[in-house]
Amino acid sequence: QESDNRKSENESYKHQEDVEEEEIKVLERDNEKEDELHDSVADLLGALFASHQELTLPFVEFLYTNILSKTLGNNQASNQHINFSLQIISDMIEYLGIKHLPDKWVALTEALIKYAVYSQAVIRQPAVYALGVLAEKNPEEFQAIADHVIPVSYTHLRAHETPEHLVCRLLLEKKK
């Protein structure tokens, strides 16, 4: 939340009348650094999950209760928070798996399904990536949701199909 507040303050300050070009560049760099910090924290958490699986479970409980469930259940959450949460979920699936997360598995996969068809690509990409990790690392668990994921994803992709994509798809289908 503090990171979002800093970024909002920077954005507000940038649009004031007497702000010089150099100040705007500094504020933009500060906002980029905030995003990089989130990515670094997510990378660190992934490394911890990979190297200290069982030892991270109390921290996973904290993350789930205080960050993931609040962010993913909040329609007002920022893209930065959603993206961060999806990165954490991806690492949890990859390194901890259902073995260590049986009570959270359904909620985590439901979040991935929800955000795999999100309107903004910056959110869809980490969700779809995490579904790929799920399919690779936990094929049995992916199979359980595949019948839901694949048609929903296909329908969503078709909804955003450009006329050019439509022509290509129809030509490919005609070849079959």
Side-chain angles (χ1 to χ4, degrees):
Q1 188 65 34
E2 291 177 27
S3 178
D4 280 347
N5 291 342
R6 283 190 294 274
K7 288 177 69 174
S8 292
E9 288 173 12
N10 287 349
E11 285 300 317
S12 295
Y13 185 71
K14 277 179 19 182
H15 299 292
Q16 293 179 0
E17 289 180 28
D18 58 344
V19 179
E20 296 179 15
E21 189 67 31
E22 189 59 37
E23 289 176 296
I24 291 173
K25 289 179 183 177
V26 168
L27 294 170
E28 288 172 349
R29 279 194 301 272
D30 284 350
N31 284 353
E32 289 171 9
K33 293 295 180 187
E34 289 290 338
D35 291 339
E36 289 174 14
L37 177 63
H38 280 234
D39 289 341
S40 295
V41 170
D43 290 344
L44 172 65
L45 292 174
L48 287 172
F49 298 152
S51 61
H52 296 83
Q53 293 176 336
E54 288 85 7
L55 295 175
T56 64
L57 295 181
F59 187 60
V60 166
E61 188 62 40
F62 173 83
L63 285 171
Y64 183 80
T65 303
N66 295 295
I67 296 175
L68 299 178
S69 62
K70 290 180 181 177
T71 299
L72 301 176
N74 178 356
N75 291 332
Q76 302 299 316
S78 70
N79 283 352
Q80 183 179 24
H81 285 149
I82 295 169
N83 194 305
F84 178 75
S85 295
L86 291 170
Q87 289 177 38
I88 291 172
I89 290 171
S90 179
D91 288 338
M92 290 167 71
I93 288 170
E94 183 170 3
Y95 301 117
L96 302 175
I98 194 168
K99 173 184 171 186
H100 296 295
L101 305 168
D103 58 325
K104 295 168 183 50
W105 198 257
V106 170
L108 297 177
T109 56
E110 286 175 352
L112 296 180
I113 294 167
K114 172 184 175 180
Y115 289 109
V117 295
Y118 200 72
S119 62
Q120 297 176 24
V122 68
I123 300 302
R124 276 194 318 271
Q125 189 279 329
V128 170
Y129 176 83
L131 284 169
V133 169
L134 174 63
E136 179 184 353
K137 300 291 182 175
N138 302 277
E140 303 83 28
E141 298 304 319
F142 181 77
Q143 187 60 42
I145 64 169
D147 290 339
H148 179 71
V149 170
I150 294 169
V152 168
S153 297
Y154 182 73
T155 301
H156 182 74
L157 288 172
R158 292 281 302 274
H160 294 283
E161 191 171 52
T162 66
E164 294 82 8
H165 292 132
L166 175 61
V167 169
C168 291
R169 182 176 55 78
L170 292 173
L171 287 171
L172 288 171
E173 287 176 4
K174 186 176 180 180
K175 283 186 173 184
K176 292 179 185 178

